[in-house]
Structure formats: C-alpha cells, structure tokens
Amino acid sequence: MIRKILHIAARECRLMYGNTIYLFCMVLLPVFTVVFFTSLLGDGQPTELPVGIVDLDNTATTRNMIRNLDGFQTTRVVAHYSTANEARLAMQKGEIYAFLYIPKGTTEGLMSSKQPKVSFYYNGVVMLAGSTTMRDLKTICTLGSAAVGKTKLEMLGKTESEIMTFLQPIKIDLHMLNNPWANYNVYLSASMIPGLLMLFIYLLTPYSIGTELKFGRAKEWMEMAGNNPLIAIAGKMLPQTMVHLIVFYGFEFYVYHILQFPHPGGIWPILFLGLMAVLSAQAFGIFCFGLMPSLRMSMSVCSLWAMLSFSLAGATFPVFAMDTFIQGVSWLFPLRHYYQIYQICIFNGFGMEYAWINWVCMLCFMILPVFVLRNIRRAMLEYKYIP
C-alpha cells in the first residue's frame, strides 16, 4: 500500500511540475496574498484620513479646535469650505471622508452657556474610515466644550481637582486585552489570509481529481492504486498536502514570529490548527467532487462555499448577531471553526479543551471523503468527461 501511494505521489509530482496552474495557485498566489494583505494593513490603523472644515464662526476658539483635530494621527484637515453644500459635494466625490460644520455664534454660545450646536458629517459607506473620522470629530467637539468649561471654572476659583471631577465625574480605565494597539492587521489578516489560502486548496483539490477524468488518465490512475480509491486519493493528495503545509506554516511563521502578532496560546495550537485547516479544506474539496463528479460543478461549489465562509466566519460581523438559521449554517464552514479556535486558543490563550467542539468539527470535515470514495471510483472507471 505504501509503495503504491509513493508511486502515485511521484506521478502527481510530475503532473504538478508540468502544469503551471499548480505553481501559481499553490505557491505564487498564496505568497502574494500574504504579503499583500499584511502590507496593506501594515500600519495597524488608517492614518491621515482627509476631512474638511466649514467654520462660519472663525474665532480663536474654533481655530484652536481645528488645529487640535489636525493634530490627531488618524485625521488630516485638507480643505476649508465656505458652505456645507460645498463640503457635502466634496465628500460625495470622495475627496474627504467627513467634515465639521461650525455655525456662526458658536463661541458666543459656549461662553454664555446656550448650548450651541456643532454638526459633523461622515461617510458611512466606508465603514472603517467613517467610524474613525466620526470618533475624532466627536472627541474634538467634546474637548472644545470641556476647555471652555474649564476656563469658566478657573475664573470662579475652582481647583484643578474640582474642575476635573466636574468635567469627568467617572474616569474610564480602558484595557484592550491582547491587542492594546487596536491593530486591524491582527484582527483581519488572521482570518482573511487563512480563508484565501483555504480557497486555493478548495479549488485545486477537485481540479486535480477532475483533470484525471478530463484528460483520460483516470483508469491509469486507478490501476496504479489497484482500483482502491483510498490509495489513489492518498497518493494524489500527498504532494499537494506537503506544499500547502509549507505555505501555511510559512504564513504562520511570518505573522507570529516576524510581525509579532499576539499569540499567548503558544506554538502547539498554531501547528495543529494549520495542519487541520489544510486537511479539512482538502477533504471538503474531495467530498464535493465525490458528490458531483464534474470538474466544473465541484469547483463552482467549492468556490461558492469558500466565498460564503468569509461572511460566516465571524471576523467582520459576529455570528451570534445573525439570524438563527444562519448561525446554524455557519457550522458547515471550516473557516468558521478555524476562526473560533484561533480566537480561543491562540489569541486569548485558553487551553485547547475550551474549543473542543470546534476541533471535533474540523475532524468531521476531514473524514467526509470516506462517504464518497465509492462514487469517485465509479466515476474514474465508468464516467466519460463531458465539457
């Protein structure tokens, strides 16, 4: 059995060497994906987001507010507009992400405690940029009113302690666990990149099996395995598994060792999760081809499943906030369990037993091909390829 597996593996290596699709989808594109996404989010957070100002009051107080806003790391004042309509058109054109509207009489209203209204508008289409600029604009408006209040209290003879107690009766002590920098690279790359790597595996697995049927090599392949589909699949997947593991572990070494992504859970959950991610993705691809022994249909289903997994993994929108039916469907996606194990065992540092149900689900994905081996054998020996 081992000799047959090794002979089929050697044959698969020759096929991979002669087909540039394997080189691109197994090595070049995954490496490009890793470098592209980690570089794209390399700063951790967006910086210097362009915002505009409509200052109809134009006093020392409002100009000081604008200077403070420009001093924030995440925003940069790029233009002043005479009317709100001009600023709105600039935001619609994509020149700015937000603008601050200061009406005439704002400073006078602050000094006389008349609660003047200051408006800010931000682009909610781009979620990250919109929420970031909204936070900075809200902060600068709060600081502006606090500065005026502090000046008035100082004139009344209040001490610094009394002033701070009045302006901020409750002091917030904020601690962001495991990612105190709020680095979006840590949040997004840890789920997006593995999902893309698994996408390549999803597509290559049914492609490598389906091309045996397409190019008339199916019977030769099964003869080398003694018509045993388990040996045939094991021999064909062995070289691909080794390459996928090298790429996946290379990605993990890069993000956890070189980029220093937080991983208090240690090295063993990382290694086990990488192995199970590769094997479960391959197993799902084999299962899809076994259900639909068609190159085109199996690759289409795998592609659809991989794309849906990005939404149902829970990295960008929490699964528990979705519809109950969608919550149940999310269990059918390996990337969902990958992300759950990453959060529990790697990012938060809990023991592997805390995510036992997700480990079991990954194992269930790995045994799926057992149920379709007979169908694959029949397809290889009896079916004819139909374009």
Side-chain angles (χ1 to χ4, degrees):
M1 180 183 295
I2 295 176
R3 189 182 302 112
K4 290 178 181 178
I5 291 175
L6 293 178
H7 285 168
I8 296 173
R11 171 181 177 270
E12 183 66 17
C13 289
R14 291 192 296 270
L15 294 175
M16 291 166 56
Y17 179 77
N19 192 339
T20 55
I21 289 178
Y22 290 99
L23 175 64
F24 275 94
C25 294
M26 296 177 70
V27 180
L28 297 182
L29 287 179
V31 171
F32 172 78
T33 297
V34 172
V35 174
F36 174 77
F37 277 97
T38 53
S39 301
L40 182 67
L41 301 169
D43 292 332
Q45 284 190 352
T47 58
E48 301 292 321
L49 294 171
V51 298
I53 300 294
V54 181
D55 186 6
L56 302 182
D57 200 32
N58 195 24
T59 63
T61 300
T62 58
R63 288 194 296 269
N64 185 55
M65 289 175 58
I66 296 169
R67 283 194 298 269
N68 290 334
L69 177 62
D70 196 32
F72 286 169
Q73 181 181 5
T74 50
T75 54
R76 178 167 58 93
V77 177
V78 296
H80 290 258
Y81 303 97
S82 57
T83 64
N85 281 335
E86 292 181 10
R88 177 179 57 82
L89 289 174
M91 191 165 65
Q92 290 176 336
K93 293 177 181 178
E95 297 173 0
I96 56 176
Y97 285 109
F99 68 89
L100 177 65
Y101 177 77
I102 305 175
K104 189 174 182 60
T106 298
T107 304
E108 181 182 352
L110 280 172
M111 296 303 178
S112 58
S113 301
K114 293 182 179 179
Q115 291 186 321
K117 292 183 180 181
V118 175
S119 305
F120 50 85
Y121 302 81
Y122 61 93
N123 188 349
V125 175
V126 185
M127 184 177 296
L128 180 57
S131 61
T132 302
T133 52
M134 183 273 290
R135 179 195 63 194
D136 287 354
L137 291 172
K138 184 177 180 180
T139 300
I140 204 64
C141 292
T142 304
L143 292 177
S145 61
V148 175
K150 182 179 179 183
T151 303
K152 294 178 66 175
L153 290 173
E154 286 175 346
M155 295 172 60
L156 295 175
K158 300 293 184 180
T159 64
E160 185 73 19
S161 177
E162 291 175 328
I163 292 173
M164 293 308 298
T165 302
F166 178 78
L167 295 177
Q168 190 179 22
I170 298 176
K171 186 177 181 180
I172 299 174
D173 188 14
L174 178 64
H175 298 275
M176 296 185 64
L177 299 179
N178 299 328
N179 189 11
W181 321 277
N183 190 332
Y184 284 93
N185 200 5
V186 173
Y187 290 129
L188 296 180
S189 294
S191 60
M192 291 292 294
I193 296 177
L196 289 171
L197 297 181
M198 293 173 74
L199 169 62
F200 296 133
I201 300 174
Y202 282 144
L203 294 177
L204 274 176
T205 301
Y207 171 81
S208 62
I209 300 174
T211 49
E212 296 287 351
L213 198 61
K214 178 179 181 180
F215 297 118
R217 303 190 303 256
K219 292 184 179 179
E220 173 198 347
W221 175 39
M222 295 305 296
E223 286 176 5
M224 293 181 66
N227 288 336
N228 187 329
L230 179 61
I231 296 176
I233 292 294
K236 175 169 279 293
M237 291 295 109
L238 180 59
Q240 297 183 34
T241 303
M242 299 304 295
V243 176
H244 290 314
L245 279 177
I246 292 172
V247 172
F248 215 100
Y249 284 149
F251 152 71
E252 292 180 334
F253 176 81
Y254 178 64
V255 296
Y256 293 120
H257 182 73
I258 298 178
L259 298 183
Q260 292 294 308
F261 281 17
H263 55 286
I267 189 66
W268 290 112
I270 294 174
L271 295 178
F272 282 130
L273 186 56
L275 175 64
M276 299 192 74
V278 171
L279 295 180
S280 62
Q282 284 186 311
F284 188 83
I286 297 169
F287 178 73
C288 285
F289 186 86
L291 286 179
M292 296 161 287
S294 165
L295 177 62
R296 180 172 52 192
M297 285 298 299
S298 57
M299 290 186 67
S300 298
V301 170
C302 286
S303 177
L304 174 63
W305 214 255
M307 297 310 297
L308 288 175
S309 64
F310 288 105
S311 300
L312 298 179
T316 55
F317 189 84
V319 173
F320 66 81
M322 298 181 184
D323 185 77
T324 305
F325 174 75
I326 302 300
Q327 294 181 35
V329 172
S330 68
W331 287 81
L332 303 178
F333 295 84
L335 185 59
R336 168 61 179 165
H337 302 289
Y338 176 96
Y339 188 66
Q340 284 288 93
I341 295 171
Y342 163 75
Q343 287 187 95
I344 297 171
C345 301
I346 299 175
F347 186 73
N348 289 311
F350 291 100
M352 296 171 65
E353 66 275 9
Y354 286 89
W356 68 269
I357 190 168
N358 301 107
W359 291 108
V360 171
C361 289
M362 295 287 272
L363 288 173
C364 291
F365 282 110
M366 291 167 56
I367 64 174
L368 283 178
V370 174
F371 301 101
V372 295
L373 286 178
R374 292 181 60 184
N375 203 26
I376 292 176
R377 178 180 180 275
R378 183 169 61 251
M380 293 299 111
L381 296 178
E382 301 177 7
Y383 288 9
K384 291 184 179 180
Y385 178 76
I386 301 176

